[in-house]
Structures are given as C-alpha cells and as structure tokens.
Amino acid sequence: MNEKIISKAGEIVEQNTGEMTCCELALIDLEGYPTVSTITASKADGINWLTFCTGLGSDKANRIKRCNRASVCFNSDEYNITLVGTMDIITDPDVKNEMWYGGLSNHFSGPQAPNYCVLRFKTERYNLLVDWKEAKGRL
C-alpha cells in the first residue's frame, strides 16, 4: 500500500513544480532556529529529489552552507506531503540551464548569471497523507 501512496504523492509533487506553483521550504537559520519560506520548486523526480533556484548570496544559500538539513512540504485540503532530507548548492552550468524557468528572469539575467544557483533537495524520509491514507518511511 505504501507504494501507491508514494506514487500518488510523487505525481502531486511533480504537478506542483514550475511557474505558478509553490511549496514550503524549512531550513535552519544562522542563529540555529527553523525558518520556513514559500518557494517554487523548479523540477522533481517524484518524492526522491526536488530542485529550487535562488542566488548564491541569498539567505537560503547561506543557511544551507551552514546546515544542509531541510524539509519540504506540499499541502492542500486534499493532501499533506512532508519530505525531510538534505540540500546541496549546485553551480554547474548544465544543471542551471536545465532548471531555468521564465519566472527567474525577474531575478537573474539568464541561466548563466554568476549569482544564480540551483538547490537540490534529496529526500531521506517522508510523511505522506494522500487520499486520507498515511505513509511514513525512509527512502
């Protein structure tokens, strides 16, 4: 049964990536407290990994440099998908180009902008409530 819930959760996550979508990202701030931000996920592979885009000097990037533990939550009246894992900062030009979407042009000159980076979240454990069925576990 967990496989069905995980599969459905993965579909929901993938449908909630790209422009005009958002999720919640929790990181530990520079004083050691958890903080939550609303952010757009650019791409996902089910619940396995997600990417986000930001600036190298941003609060998010600075927090990740200090502590790369993170949590991501997608929720609505119909589901709550909470993922816990780690985050990496990626500056590889090919990855930056692949993760680029139009809304980023409001913040960066293009996918090769030196301050633009990709945050890659890798899920280690999950707590899913989908179709009123719950699944908890580790990947």
Side-chain angles (χ1 to χ4, degrees):
M1 171 137 101
N2 276 1
E3 291 81 26
K4 287 183 180 181
I5 297 170
I6 291 169
S7 178
K8 178 71 173 181
E11 291 172 16
I12 292 168
V13 167
E14 289 180 11
Q15 290 167 2
N16 283 282
T17 60
E19 291 184 75
M20 307 305 291
T21 65
C22 62
C23 61
E24 308 308 318
L25 171 63
L27 299 168
I28 302 299
D29 73 13
L30 299 179
E31 295 180 24
Y33 291 91
T35 59
V36 178
S37 303
T38 301
I39 190 169
T40 297
S42 55
K43 298 226 174 154
D45 174 30
I47 66 167
N48 298 308
W49 59 261
L50 298 98
T51 56
F52 307 91
C53 301
T54 192
L56 279 172
S58 70
D59 284 343
K60 289 175 186 65
N62 289 332
R63 292 174 188 159
I64 293 164
K65 288 174 191 171
R66 183 165 179 194
C67 177
N68 74 337
R69 294 180 185 170
S71 182
V72 177
C73 182
F74 292 85
N75 68 331
S76 77
D77 292 340
E78 324 228 326
Y79 55 81
N80 187 300
I81 298 167
T82 301
L83 310 173
V84 177
T86 56
M87 191 81 80
D88 291 311
I89 299 170
I90 300 172
T91 57
D92 178 90
D94 292 334
V95 174
K96 289 170 50 170
N97 194 50
E98 181 183 347
M99 298 305 151
W100 182 265
Y101 59 92
L104 293 171
S105 61
N106 294 329
H107 307 284
F108 304 100
S109 59
Q112 301 312 318
N115 191 41
Y116 162 61
C117 68
V118 173
L119 307 178
R120 185 166 193 258
F121 174 83
K122 184 172 188 257
T123 303
E124 294 178 7
R125 57 188 165 102
Y126 56 86
N127 187 351
L128 312 172
L129 180 63
V130 177
D131 297 330
W132 298 104
K133 295 178 181 101
E134 190 171 18
K136 295 180 182 183
R138 294 188 168 277
L139 289 183

